[in-house]
Amino acid sequence: GENVEQHPSTLSVQEGDSAVIKCTYSDSASNYFPWYKQELGKRPQLIIDIRSNVGEKKDQRIAVTLNKTAKHFSLHITETQPEDSAVYFCAASPSRLGYSTLTFGKGTMLLVSP
Amino acid sequence: GAGVSQSPRYKVAKRGQDVALRCDPISGHVSLFWYQQALGQGPEFLTYFQNEAQLDKSGLPSDRFFAERPEGSVSTLKIQRTQQEDSAVYLCASTSPGQNTEAFFGQGTRLTVV
């Protein structure tokens, strides 16, 4: 089955800096890669996703890049703000199943200091 | 409803007790997933329903875990003879029809087995 590795496990940045979180996946059949933000005690919420037919997607301060050859995708947050502090999860989903079962990484705790 | 609703939010069970966790998905969402999230980890897939049909239960950790969705809407995850290793947050997610569509998560049920 799919295996998703996520690094780093914790990331501390100063407000205004950029943050980068990296994930690798093992199943070449995976074609959908969402990123979720989870604040303490709250539900995971989708912040951005990318499908395997594109290499990059951007939404305001958030961008995701995908390298299918290397089976690698990354989340980039620019101009970080204290409210960006949360745990971020990457995930991958294979196409063969006909439905999108997500395999998650172990998460990155992002702390943005004012 | 406006979002995925889960109840109870918190459940404390004595070891050996049976528990039932409820998920009310977004109206019209045919796909429903259950995930288990251990402390400090990413969610892990348990089972998938398409309408009332349970199409994938490969993630259920043992035969003590049972899920149903008899009318294709509300789903119940039942855990029999709970054990301490069952302590986790149980998340429900629903998606609109199709593949690679956004999974909307509920706030989860935090189960603590003492």
Side-chain angles (χ1 to χ4, degrees), chain A residues 31-32 36 38 41 43-44 46 51 89 94-95 99-102 104-106, chain B residues 4 9 33 35 37 40-43 45 48 56 99-100 102-103 105-107:
Chain A
N31 65 348
Y32 176 59
Y36 282 84
Q38 188 175 31
R43 73 189 75 200
L46 181 73
R51 291 167 176 78
F89 292 98
S95 62
Y99 50 90
S100 299
T101 295
L102 299 172
F104 287 85
K106 292 190 174 183
Chain B
V4 179
R9 285 292 317 277
F33 301 81
Y35 290 85
Q37 186 174 24
Q41 302 294 315
F45 170 74
Y48 164 69
D56 188 340
Q99 195 171 9
N100 297 341
E102 179 179 353
F105 282 86
Q107 289 197 303

PDB file of all heavy atoms in Angstrom, chain A residues 31-32 36 38 41 43-44 46 51 89 94-95 99-102 104-106, chain B residues 4 9 33 35 37 40-43 45 48 56 99-100 102-103 105-107:
ATOM      1  N   ASN A  31      -2.453   9.929  -7.417  1.00  0.00           N
ATOM      2  CA  ASN A  31      -2.602  11.049  -8.340  1.00  0.00           C
ATOM      3  C   ASN A  31      -3.304  12.249  -7.715  1.00  0.00           C
ATOM      4  O   ASN A  31      -3.644  13.206  -8.414  1.00  0.00           O
ATOM      5  CB  ASN A  31      -3.359  10.599  -9.594  1.00  0.00           C
ATOM      6  CG  ASN A  31      -4.788  10.199  -9.279  1.00  0.00           C
ATOM      7  OD1 ASN A  31      -5.150  10.039  -8.131  1.00  0.00           O
ATOM      8  ND2 ASN A  31      -5.595  10.063 -10.314  1.00  0.00           N
ATOM      9  N   TYR A  32      -3.522  12.209  -6.416  1.00  0.00           N
ATOM     10  CA  TYR A  32      -4.195  13.318  -5.736  1.00  0.00           C
ATOM     11  C   TYR A  32      -3.478  13.558  -4.420  1.00  0.00           C
ATOM     12  O   TYR A  32      -3.260  12.613  -3.646  1.00  0.00           O
ATOM     13  CB  TYR A  32      -5.667  12.968  -5.503  1.00  0.00           C
ATOM     14  CG  TYR A  32      -6.438  14.006  -4.710  1.00  0.00           C
ATOM     15  CD1 TYR A  32      -6.555  15.315  -5.165  1.00  0.00           C
ATOM     16  CD2 TYR A  32      -7.058  13.667  -3.519  1.00  0.00           C
ATOM     17  CE1 TYR A  32      -7.272  16.258  -4.444  1.00  0.00           C
ATOM     18  CE2 TYR A  32      -7.769  14.605  -2.790  1.00  0.00           C
ATOM     19  CZ  TYR A  32      -7.875  15.895  -3.259  1.00  0.00           C
ATOM     20  OH  TYR A  32      -8.577  16.826  -2.550  1.00  0.00           O
ATOM     21  N   TYR A  36      -3.740  19.293   4.579  1.00  0.00           N
ATOM     22  CA  TYR A  36      -4.716  19.656   5.584  1.00  0.00           C
ATOM     23  C   TYR A  36      -4.029  20.399   6.727  1.00  0.00           C
ATOM     24  O   TYR A  36      -2.892  20.094   7.104  1.00  0.00           O
ATOM     25  CB  TYR A  36      -5.418  18.407   6.144  1.00  0.00           C
ATOM     26  CG  TYR A  36      -6.479  17.858   5.225  1.00  0.00           C
ATOM     27  CD1 TYR A  36      -6.151  17.007   4.178  1.00  0.00           C
ATOM     28  CD2 TYR A  36      -7.819  18.220   5.395  1.00  0.00           C
ATOM     29  CE1 TYR A  36      -7.126  16.516   3.324  1.00  0.00           C
ATOM     30  CE2 TYR A  36      -8.801  17.731   4.552  1.00  0.00           C
ATOM     31  CZ  TYR A  36      -8.435  16.880   3.520  1.00  0.00           C
ATOM     32  OH  TYR A  36      -9.419  16.409   2.670  1.00  0.00           O
ATOM     33  N   GLN A  38      -4.609  21.349  10.741  1.00  0.00           N
ATOM     34  CA  GLN A  38      -5.394  20.950  11.906  1.00  0.00           C
ATOM     35  C   GLN A  38      -4.933  21.741  13.117  1.00  0.00           C
ATOM     36  O   GLN A  38      -3.807  21.589  13.585  1.00  0.00           O
ATOM     37  CB  GLN A  38      -5.260  19.447  12.172  1.00  0.00           C
ATOM     38  CG  GLN A  38      -6.206  18.947  13.263  1.00  0.00           C
ATOM     39  CD  GLN A  38      -6.149  17.429  13.432  1.00  0.00           C
ATOM     40  OE1 GLN A  38      -5.120  16.804  13.215  1.00  0.00           O
ATOM     41  NE2 GLN A  38      -7.273  16.838  13.823  1.00  0.00           N
ATOM     42  N   GLY A  41      -7.271  20.341  18.718  1.00  0.00           N
ATOM     43  CA  GLY A  41      -8.626  19.961  19.087  1.00  0.00           C
ATOM     44  C   GLY A  41      -9.678  20.197  18.024  1.00  0.00           C
ATOM     45  O   GLY A  41     -10.874  20.050  18.297  1.00  0.00           O
ATOM     46  N   ARG A  43     -10.991  19.951  13.683  1.00  0.00           N
ATOM     47  CA  ARG A  43     -11.006  19.034  12.551  1.00  0.00           C
ATOM     48  C   ARG A  43      -9.943  19.399  11.532  1.00  0.00           C
ATOM     49  O   ARG A  43      -9.582  20.569  11.399  1.00  0.00           O
ATOM     50  CB  ARG A  43     -12.383  19.071  11.886  1.00  0.00           C
ATOM     51  CG  ARG A  43     -12.679  20.344  11.085  1.00  0.00           C
ATOM     52  CD  ARG A  43     -14.122  20.387  10.656  1.00  0.00           C
ATOM     53  NE  ARG A  43     -15.023  20.714  11.743  1.00  0.00           N
ATOM     54  CZ  ARG A  43     -16.324  20.445  11.726  1.00  0.00           C
ATOM     55  NH1 ARG A  43     -16.872  19.842  10.712  1.00  0.00           N
ATOM     56  NH2 ARG A  43     -17.082  20.781  12.755  1.00  0.00           N
ATOM     57  N   PRO A  44      -9.419  18.429  10.798  1.00  0.00           N
ATOM     58  CA  PRO A  44      -8.525  18.771   9.675  1.00  0.00           C
ATOM     59  C   PRO A  44      -9.313  19.525   8.604  1.00  0.00           C
ATOM     60  O   PRO A  44     -10.443  19.165   8.283  1.00  0.00           O
ATOM     61  CB  PRO A  44      -8.088  17.399   9.148  1.00  0.00           C
ATOM     62  CG  PRO A  44      -8.383  16.429  10.254  1.00  0.00           C
ATOM     63  CD  PRO A  44      -9.570  16.986  10.959  1.00  0.00           C
ATOM     64  N   LEU A  46      -8.964  21.217   4.642  1.00  0.00           N
ATOM     65  CA  LEU A  46      -8.187  21.282   3.403  1.00  0.00           C
ATOM     66  C   LEU A  46      -7.738  22.716   3.145  1.00  0.00           C
ATOM     67  O   LEU A  46      -8.534  23.652   3.220  1.00  0.00           O
ATOM     68  CB  LEU A  46      -9.043  20.803   2.234  1.00  0.00           C
ATOM     69  CG  LEU A  46      -8.366  20.796   0.875  1.00  0.00           C
ATOM     70  CD1 LEU A  46      -7.363  19.655   0.790  1.00  0.00           C
ATOM     71  CD2 LEU A  46      -9.393  20.687  -0.257  1.00  0.00           C
ATOM     72  N   ARG A  51      -3.320  17.826  -8.245  1.00  0.00           N
ATOM     73  CA  ARG A  51      -3.505  16.559  -8.949  1.00  0.00           C
ATOM     74  C   ARG A  51      -2.304  16.307  -9.836  1.00  0.00           C
ATOM     75  O   ARG A  51      -1.566  17.228 -10.184  1.00  0.00           O
ATOM     76  CB  ARG A  51      -4.814  16.590  -9.728  1.00  0.00           C
ATOM     77  CG  ARG A  51      -6.014  16.569  -8.787  1.00  0.00           C
ATOM     78  CD  ARG A  51      -7.315  16.913  -9.464  1.00  0.00           C
ATOM     79  NE  ARG A  51      -8.437  16.791  -8.531  1.00  0.00           N
ATOM     80  CZ  ARG A  51      -8.763  17.685  -7.599  1.00  0.00           C
ATOM     81  NH1 ARG A  51      -8.053  18.775  -7.463  1.00  0.00           N
ATOM     82  NH2 ARG A  51      -9.798  17.468  -6.790  1.00  0.00           N
ATOM     83  N   PHE A  89      -0.765  18.360   7.615  1.00  0.00           N
ATOM     84  CA  PHE A  89      -0.652  16.976   7.142  1.00  0.00           C
ATOM     85  C   PHE A  89      -0.685  16.961   5.617  1.00  0.00           C
ATOM     86  O   PHE A  89      -1.552  17.585   5.002  1.00  0.00           O
ATOM     87  CB  PHE A  89      -1.814  16.122   7.639  1.00  0.00           C
ATOM     88  CG  PHE A  89      -1.822  15.891   9.121  1.00  0.00           C
ATOM     89  CD1 PHE A  89      -2.625  16.659   9.951  1.00  0.00           C
ATOM     90  CD2 PHE A  89      -1.041  14.901   9.681  1.00  0.00           C
ATOM     91  CE1 PHE A  89      -2.641  16.447  11.326  1.00  0.00           C
ATOM     92  CE2 PHE A  89      -1.055  14.668  11.062  1.00  0.00           C
ATOM     93  CZ  PHE A  89      -1.854  15.457  11.872  1.00  0.00           C
ATOM     94  N   PRO A  94      -4.385   7.047  -4.216  1.00  0.00           N
ATOM     95  CA  PRO A  94      -4.199   6.362  -5.494  1.00  0.00           C
ATOM     96  C   PRO A  94      -5.462   6.399  -6.340  1.00  0.00           C
ATOM     97  O   PRO A  94      -6.574   6.459  -5.811  1.00  0.00           O
ATOM     98  CB  PRO A  94      -3.874   4.923  -5.076  1.00  0.00           C
ATOM     99  CG  PRO A  94      -4.581   4.756  -3.781  1.00  0.00           C
ATOM    100  CD  PRO A  94      -4.581   6.104  -3.109  1.00  0.00           C
ATOM    101  N   SER A  95      -5.294   6.320  -7.638  1.00  0.00           N
ATOM    102  CA  SER A  95      -6.434   6.407  -8.542  1.00  0.00           C
ATOM    103  C   SER A  95      -7.103   5.069  -8.766  1.00  0.00           C
ATOM    104  O   SER A  95      -8.232   5.003  -9.176  1.00  0.00           O
ATOM    105  CB  SER A  95      -5.974   6.966  -9.885  1.00  0.00           C
ATOM    106  OG  SER A  95      -5.016   6.091 -10.469  1.00  0.00           O
ATOM    107  N   TYR A  99     -12.087   5.584  -5.604  1.00  0.00           N
ATOM    108  CA  TYR A  99     -12.496   6.526  -4.573  1.00  0.00           C
ATOM    109  C   TYR A  99     -11.219   6.975  -3.870  1.00  0.00           C
ATOM    110  O   TYR A  99     -10.188   6.333  -3.962  1.00  0.00           O
ATOM    111  CB  TYR A  99     -13.481   5.886  -3.584  1.00  0.00           C
ATOM    112  CG  TYR A  99     -13.053   4.546  -3.022  1.00  0.00           C
ATOM    113  CD1 TYR A  99     -12.305   4.449  -1.870  1.00  0.00           C
ATOM    114  CD2 TYR A  99     -13.409   3.367  -3.683  1.00  0.00           C
ATOM    115  CE1 TYR A  99     -11.906   3.215  -1.366  1.00  0.00           C
ATOM    116  CE2 TYR A  99     -13.021   2.142  -3.198  1.00  0.00           C
ATOM    117  CZ  TYR A  99     -12.272   2.060  -2.041  1.00  0.00           C
ATOM    118  OH  TYR A  99     -11.883   0.843  -1.567  1.00  0.00           O
ATOM    119  N   SER A 100     -11.314   8.074  -3.165  1.00  0.00           N
ATOM    120  CA  SER A 100     -10.090   8.730  -2.679  1.00  0.00           C
ATOM    121  C   SER A 100      -9.807   8.417  -1.220  1.00  0.00           C
ATOM    122  O   SER A 100     -10.026   9.260  -0.344  1.00  0.00           O
ATOM    123  CB  SER A 100     -10.202  10.240  -2.887  1.00  0.00           C
ATOM    124  OG  SER A 100     -10.352  10.531  -4.252  1.00  0.00           O
ATOM    125  N   THR A 101      -9.299   7.217  -0.949  1.00  0.00           N
ATOM    126  CA  THR A 101      -8.821   6.911   0.392  1.00  0.00           C
ATOM    127  C   THR A 101      -7.488   7.603   0.581  1.00  0.00           C
ATOM    128  O   THR A 101      -6.578   7.433  -0.227  1.00  0.00           O
ATOM    129  CB  THR A 101      -8.656   5.398   0.573  1.00  0.00           C
ATOM    130  OG1 THR A 101      -9.936   4.792   0.496  1.00  0.00           O
ATOM    131  CG2 THR A 101      -8.051   5.092   1.932  1.00  0.00           C
ATOM    132  N   LEU A 102      -7.373   8.378   1.620  1.00  0.00           N
ATOM    133  CA  LEU A 102      -6.179   9.169   1.851  1.00  0.00           C
ATOM    134  C   LEU A 102      -5.205   8.456   2.783  1.00  0.00           C
ATOM    135  O   LEU A 102      -5.613   7.924   3.818  1.00  0.00           O
ATOM    136  CB  LEU A 102      -6.564  10.511   2.469  1.00  0.00           C
ATOM    137  CG  LEU A 102      -7.472  11.396   1.613  1.00  0.00           C
ATOM    138  CD1 LEU A 102      -7.935  12.609   2.413  1.00  0.00           C
ATOM    139  CD2 LEU A 102      -6.757  11.839   0.351  1.00  0.00           C
ATOM    140  N   PHE A 104      -2.071   9.519   5.030  1.00  0.00           N
ATOM    141  CA  PHE A 104      -1.521  10.750   5.566  1.00  0.00           C
ATOM    142  C   PHE A 104      -0.075  10.579   6.031  1.00  0.00           C
ATOM    143  O   PHE A 104       0.331   9.486   6.458  1.00  0.00           O
ATOM    144  CB  PHE A 104      -2.345  11.222   6.777  1.00  0.00           C
ATOM    145  CG  PHE A 104      -3.684  11.796   6.433  1.00  0.00           C
ATOM    146  CD1 PHE A 104      -4.787  10.973   6.259  1.00  0.00           C
ATOM    147  CD2 PHE A 104      -3.842  13.168   6.296  1.00  0.00           C
ATOM    148  CE1 PHE A 104      -6.032  11.503   5.946  1.00  0.00           C
ATOM    149  CE2 PHE A 104      -5.081  13.710   5.992  1.00  0.00           C
ATOM    150  CZ  PHE A 104      -6.167  12.877   5.812  1.00  0.00           C
ATOM    151  N   GLY A 105       0.672  11.688   5.978  1.00  0.00           N
ATOM    152  CA  GLY A 105       1.938  11.740   6.672  1.00  0.00           C
ATOM    153  C   GLY A 105       1.696  11.923   8.158  1.00  0.00           C
ATOM    154  O   GLY A 105       0.549  12.079   8.600  1.00  0.00           O
ATOM    155  N   LYS A 106       2.784  11.937   8.942  1.00  0.00           N
ATOM    156  CA  LYS A 106       2.638  12.021  10.391  1.00  0.00           C
ATOM    157  C   LYS A 106       2.442  13.446  10.904  1.00  0.00           C
ATOM    158  O   LYS A 106       2.205  13.648  12.089  1.00  0.00           O
ATOM    159  CB  LYS A 106       3.842  11.379  11.075  1.00  0.00           C
ATOM    160  CG  LYS A 106       3.899   9.875  10.873  1.00  0.00           C
ATOM    161  CD  LYS A 106       4.936   9.221  11.744  1.00  0.00           C
ATOM    162  CE  LYS A 106       4.841   7.702  11.600  1.00  0.00           C
ATOM    163  NZ  LYS A 106       5.783   6.999  12.497  1.00  0.00           N
TER     164      LYS A 106
ATOM    165  N   VAL B   4     -19.944  18.102   8.553  1.00  0.00           N
ATOM    166  CA  VAL B   4     -19.984  16.751   9.095  1.00  0.00           C
ATOM    167  C   VAL B   4     -20.070  16.839  10.614  1.00  0.00           C
ATOM    168  O   VAL B   4     -19.274  17.544  11.239  1.00  0.00           O
ATOM    169  CB  VAL B   4     -18.732  15.954   8.674  1.00  0.00           C
ATOM    170  CG1 VAL B   4     -18.774  14.557   9.273  1.00  0.00           C
ATOM    171  CG2 VAL B   4     -18.617  15.902   7.151  1.00  0.00           C
ATOM    172  N   ARG B   9     -18.551  14.051  21.341  1.00  0.00           N
ATOM    173  CA  ARG B   9     -17.236  14.653  21.121  1.00  0.00           C
ATOM    174  C   ARG B   9     -16.181  13.943  21.941  1.00  0.00           C
ATOM    175  O   ARG B   9     -15.029  13.799  21.504  1.00  0.00           O
ATOM    176  CB  ARG B   9     -17.248  16.136  21.498  1.00  0.00           C
ATOM    177  CG  ARG B   9     -17.953  17.046  20.518  1.00  0.00           C
ATOM    178  CD  ARG B   9     -17.226  17.174  19.182  1.00  0.00           C
ATOM    179  NE  ARG B   9     -15.775  17.322  19.275  1.00  0.00           N
ATOM    180  CZ  ARG B   9     -15.148  18.464  19.497  1.00  0.00           C
ATOM    181  NH1 ARG B   9     -15.834  19.581  19.680  1.00  0.00           N
ATOM    182  NH2 ARG B   9     -13.825  18.503  19.554  1.00  0.00           N
ATOM    183  N   PHE B  33     -16.086   8.125   4.992  1.00  0.00           N
ATOM    184  CA  PHE B  33     -14.867   7.461   5.449  1.00  0.00           C
ATOM    185  C   PHE B  33     -14.755   7.585   6.971  1.00  0.00           C
ATOM    186  O   PHE B  33     -15.120   8.607   7.539  1.00  0.00           O
ATOM    187  CB  PHE B  33     -13.621   8.120   4.842  1.00  0.00           C
ATOM    188  CG  PHE B  33     -13.566   8.119   3.347  1.00  0.00           C
ATOM    189  CD1 PHE B  33     -14.262   9.060   2.606  1.00  0.00           C
ATOM    190  CD2 PHE B  33     -12.793   7.201   2.667  1.00  0.00           C
ATOM    191  CE1 PHE B  33     -14.206   9.079   1.223  1.00  0.00           C
ATOM    192  CE2 PHE B  33     -12.717   7.206   1.277  1.00  0.00           C
ATOM    193  CZ  PHE B  33     -13.428   8.155   0.560  1.00  0.00           C
ATOM    194  N   TYR B  35     -11.670   7.417   9.891  1.00  0.00           N
ATOM    195  CA  TYR B  35     -10.241   7.398  10.132  1.00  0.00           C
ATOM    196  C   TYR B  35      -9.992   7.352  11.647  1.00  0.00           C
ATOM    197  O   TYR B  35     -10.789   7.855  12.426  1.00  0.00           O
ATOM    198  CB  TYR B  35      -9.558   8.657   9.570  1.00  0.00           C
ATOM    199  CG  TYR B  35      -9.507   8.732   8.061  1.00  0.00           C
ATOM    200  CD1 TYR B  35     -10.577   9.235   7.320  1.00  0.00           C
ATOM    201  CD2 TYR B  35      -8.371   8.309   7.370  1.00  0.00           C
ATOM    202  CE1 TYR B  35     -10.518   9.306   5.934  1.00  0.00           C
ATOM    203  CE2 TYR B  35      -8.304   8.382   5.981  1.00  0.00           C
ATOM    204  CZ  TYR B  35      -9.382   8.880   5.275  1.00  0.00           C
ATOM    205  OH  TYR B  35      -9.314   8.947   3.904  1.00  0.00           O
ATOM    206  N   GLN B  37      -7.146   8.563  14.472  1.00  0.00           N
ATOM    207  CA  GLN B  37      -5.984   9.422  14.650  1.00  0.00           C
ATOM    208  C   GLN B  37      -5.436   9.266  16.066  1.00  0.00           C
ATOM    209  O   GLN B  37      -6.028   9.761  17.027  1.00  0.00           O
ATOM    210  CB  GLN B  37      -6.324  10.889  14.363  1.00  0.00           C
ATOM    211  CG  GLN B  37      -5.108  11.800  14.391  1.00  0.00           C
ATOM    212  CD  GLN B  37      -5.408  13.221  13.979  1.00  0.00           C
ATOM    213  OE1 GLN B  37      -6.539  13.697  14.071  1.00  0.00           O
ATOM    214  NE2 GLN B  37      -4.391  13.924  13.493  1.00  0.00           N
ATOM    215  N   GLY B  40      -0.627  12.635  18.188  1.00  0.00           N
ATOM    216  CA  GLY B  40       0.610  13.014  17.516  1.00  0.00           C
ATOM    217  C   GLY B  40       0.845  12.358  16.175  1.00  0.00           C
ATOM    218  O   GLY B  40       1.947  12.436  15.625  1.00  0.00           O
ATOM    219  N   GLN B  41      -0.173  11.723  15.638  1.00  0.00           N
ATOM    220  CA  GLN B  41      -0.046  11.024  14.357  1.00  0.00           C
ATOM    221  C   GLN B  41      -1.052  11.561  13.343  1.00  0.00           C
ATOM    222  O   GLN B  41      -1.980  12.292  13.687  1.00  0.00           O
ATOM    223  CB  GLN B  41      -0.294   9.520  14.552  1.00  0.00           C
ATOM    224  CG  GLN B  41       0.625   8.852  15.552  1.00  0.00           C
ATOM    225  CD  GLN B  41       2.061   8.828  15.087  1.00  0.00           C
ATOM    226  OE1 GLN B  41       2.338   8.504  13.931  1.00  0.00           O
ATOM    227  NE2 GLN B  41       2.983   9.168  15.971  1.00  0.00           N
ATOM    228  N   GLY B  42      -0.852  11.168  12.098  1.00  0.00           N
ATOM    229  CA  GLY B  42      -1.826  11.505  11.080  1.00  0.00           C
ATOM    230  C   GLY B  42      -2.993  10.533  11.112  1.00  0.00           C
ATOM    231  O   GLY B  42      -2.877   9.429  11.641  1.00  0.00           O
ATOM    232  N   PRO B  43      -4.120  10.937  10.541  1.00  0.00           N
ATOM    233  CA  PRO B  43      -5.263  10.020  10.485  1.00  0.00           C
ATOM    234  C   PRO B  43      -4.916   8.771   9.676  1.00  0.00           C
ATOM    235  O   PRO B  43      -4.199   8.848   8.679  1.00  0.00           O
ATOM    236  CB  PRO B  43      -6.342  10.844   9.778  1.00  0.00           C
ATOM    237  CG  PRO B  43      -5.936  12.277   9.987  1.00  0.00           C
ATOM    238  CD  PRO B  43      -4.447  12.263   9.985  1.00  0.00           C
ATOM    239  N   PHE B  45      -6.714   5.389   7.740  1.00  0.00           N
ATOM    240  CA  PHE B  45      -7.963   4.902   7.156  1.00  0.00           C
ATOM    241  C   PHE B  45      -8.477   3.659   7.867  1.00  0.00           C
ATOM    242  O   PHE B  45      -7.711   2.735   8.172  1.00  0.00           O
ATOM    243  CB  PHE B  45      -7.720   4.574   5.678  1.00  0.00           C
ATOM    244  CG  PHE B  45      -8.852   3.844   5.014  1.00  0.00           C
ATOM    245  CD1 PHE B  45     -10.026   4.507   4.679  1.00  0.00           C
ATOM    246  CD2 PHE B  45      -8.757   2.491   4.729  1.00  0.00           C
ATOM    247  CE1 PHE B  45     -11.073   3.831   4.074  1.00  0.00           C
ATOM    248  CE2 PHE B  45      -9.787   1.805   4.121  1.00  0.00           C
ATOM    249  CZ  PHE B  45     -10.944   2.480   3.783  1.00  0.00           C
ATOM    250  N   TYR B  48     -14.601   2.521   4.355  1.00  0.00           N
ATOM    251  CA  TYR B  48     -15.230   3.396   3.371  1.00  0.00           C
ATOM    252  C   TYR B  48     -16.610   2.877   2.996  1.00  0.00           C
ATOM    253  O   TYR B  48     -16.788   1.680   2.770  1.00  0.00           O
ATOM    254  CB  TYR B  48     -14.351   3.489   2.127  1.00  0.00           C
ATOM    255  CG  TYR B  48     -15.055   4.047   0.910  1.00  0.00           C
ATOM    256  CD1 TYR B  48     -15.436   5.385   0.873  1.00  0.00           C
ATOM    257  CD2 TYR B  48     -15.346   3.240  -0.190  1.00  0.00           C
ATOM    258  CE1 TYR B  48     -16.089   5.901  -0.230  1.00  0.00           C
ATOM    259  CE2 TYR B  48     -15.994   3.755  -1.299  1.00  0.00           C
ATOM    260  CZ  TYR B  48     -16.355   5.092  -1.320  1.00  0.00           C
ATOM    261  OH  TYR B  48     -16.996   5.606  -2.409  1.00  0.00           O
ATOM    262  N   ASP B  56     -14.968  -0.925   1.460  1.00  0.00           N
ATOM    263  CA  ASP B  56     -13.583  -1.168   1.865  1.00  0.00           C
ATOM    264  C   ASP B  56     -13.522  -1.121   3.382  1.00  0.00           C
ATOM    265  O   ASP B  56     -13.866  -0.104   3.969  1.00  0.00           O
ATOM    266  CB  ASP B  56     -12.659  -0.111   1.239  1.00  0.00           C
ATOM    267  CG  ASP B  56     -11.175  -0.407   1.446  1.00  0.00           C
ATOM    268  OD1 ASP B  56     -10.818  -1.170   2.354  1.00  0.00           O
ATOM    269  OD2 ASP B  56     -10.356   0.168   0.689  1.00  0.00           O
ATOM    270  N   GLN B  99     -14.063  11.049  -7.875  1.00  0.00           N
ATOM    271  CA  GLN B  99     -12.759  10.754  -7.298  1.00  0.00           C
ATOM    272  C   GLN B  99     -11.982  12.047  -7.117  1.00  0.00           C
ATOM    273  O   GLN B  99     -12.161  13.000  -7.853  1.00  0.00           O
ATOM    274  CB  GLN B  99     -11.993   9.826  -8.237  1.00  0.00           C
ATOM    275  CG  GLN B  99     -10.794   9.168  -7.600  1.00  0.00           C
ATOM    276  CD  GLN B  99     -10.207   8.107  -8.494  1.00  0.00           C
ATOM    277  OE1 GLN B  99     -10.577   7.967  -9.657  1.00  0.00           O
ATOM    278  NE2 GLN B  99      -9.291   7.344  -7.964  1.00  0.00           N
ATOM    279  N   ASN B 100     -11.120  12.030  -6.117  1.00  0.00           N
ATOM    280  CA  ASN B 100     -10.262  13.185  -5.855  1.00  0.00           C
ATOM    281  C   ASN B 100     -11.060  14.460  -5.591  1.00  0.00           C
ATOM    282  O   ASN B 100     -10.722  15.538  -6.079  1.00  0.00           O
ATOM    283  CB  ASN B 100      -9.293  13.413  -7.022  1.00  0.00           C
ATOM    284  CG  ASN B 100      -8.346  12.238  -7.200  1.00  0.00           C
ATOM    285  OD1 ASN B 100      -8.171  11.437  -6.293  1.00  0.00           O
ATOM    286  ND2 ASN B 100      -7.753  12.137  -8.359  1.00  0.00           N
ATOM    287  N   GLU B 102     -12.755  16.948  -2.458  1.00  0.00           N
ATOM    288  CA  GLU B 102     -12.362  17.322  -1.114  1.00  0.00           C
ATOM    289  C   GLU B 102     -13.077  16.483  -0.073  1.00  0.00           C
ATOM    290  O   GLU B 102     -14.296  16.283  -0.144  1.00  0.00           O
ATOM    291  CB  GLU B 102     -12.667  18.791  -0.865  1.00  0.00           C
ATOM    292  CG  GLU B 102     -12.305  19.267   0.552  1.00  0.00           C
ATOM    293  CD  GLU B 102     -12.586  20.727   0.777  1.00  0.00           C
ATOM    294  OE1 GLU B 102     -12.932  21.425  -0.193  1.00  0.00           O
ATOM    295  OE2 GLU B 102     -12.461  21.182   1.936  1.00  0.00           O
ATOM    296  N   ALA B 103     -12.314  15.998   0.897  1.00  0.00           N
ATOM    297  CA  ALA B 103     -12.882  15.281   2.032  1.00  0.00           C
ATOM    298  C   ALA B 103     -13.142  16.285   3.149  1.00  0.00           C
ATOM    299  O   ALA B 103     -12.234  16.988   3.580  1.00  0.00           O
ATOM    300  CB  ALA B 103     -11.924  14.192   2.508  1.00  0.00           C
ATOM    301  N   PHE B 105     -14.051  16.823   6.944  1.00  0.00           N
ATOM    302  CA  PHE B 105     -13.957  16.064   8.179  1.00  0.00           C
ATOM    303  C   PHE B 105     -14.880  16.603   9.258  1.00  0.00           C
ATOM    304  O   PHE B 105     -15.134  17.821   9.329  1.00  0.00           O
ATOM    305  CB  PHE B 105     -12.523  16.105   8.716  1.00  0.00           C
ATOM    306  CG  PHE B 105     -11.584  15.185   8.005  1.00  0.00           C
ATOM    307  CD1 PHE B 105     -10.938  15.584   6.841  1.00  0.00           C
ATOM    308  CD2 PHE B 105     -11.330  13.911   8.495  1.00  0.00           C
ATOM    309  CE1 PHE B 105     -10.072  14.731   6.179  1.00  0.00           C
ATOM    310  CE2 PHE B 105     -10.464  13.050   7.843  1.00  0.00           C
ATOM    311  CZ  PHE B 105      -9.841  13.467   6.679  1.00  0.00           C
ATOM    312  N   GLY B 106     -15.349  15.697  10.102  1.00  0.00           N
ATOM    313  CA  GLY B 106     -16.011  16.093  11.327  1.00  0.00           C
ATOM    314  C   GLY B 106     -14.971  16.441  12.379  1.00  0.00           C
ATOM    315  O   GLY B 106     -13.767  16.284  12.152  1.00  0.00           O
ATOM    316  N   GLN B 107     -15.444  16.899  13.540  1.00  0.00           N
ATOM    317  CA  GLN B 107     -14.520  17.286  14.605  1.00  0.00           C
ATOM    318  C   GLN B 107     -13.974  16.098  15.374  1.00  0.00           C
ATOM    319  O   GLN B 107     -13.043  16.243  16.156  1.00  0.00           O
ATOM    320  CB  GLN B 107     -15.196  18.274  15.561  1.00  0.00           C
ATOM    321  CG  GLN B 107     -15.405  19.642  14.929  1.00  0.00           C
ATOM    322  CD  GLN B 107     -15.683  20.715  15.957  1.00  0.00           C
ATOM    323  OE1 GLN B 107     -16.622  20.599  16.734  1.00  0.00           O
ATOM    324  NE2 GLN B 107     -14.882  21.759  15.963  1.00  0.00           N
TER     325      GLN B 107
END
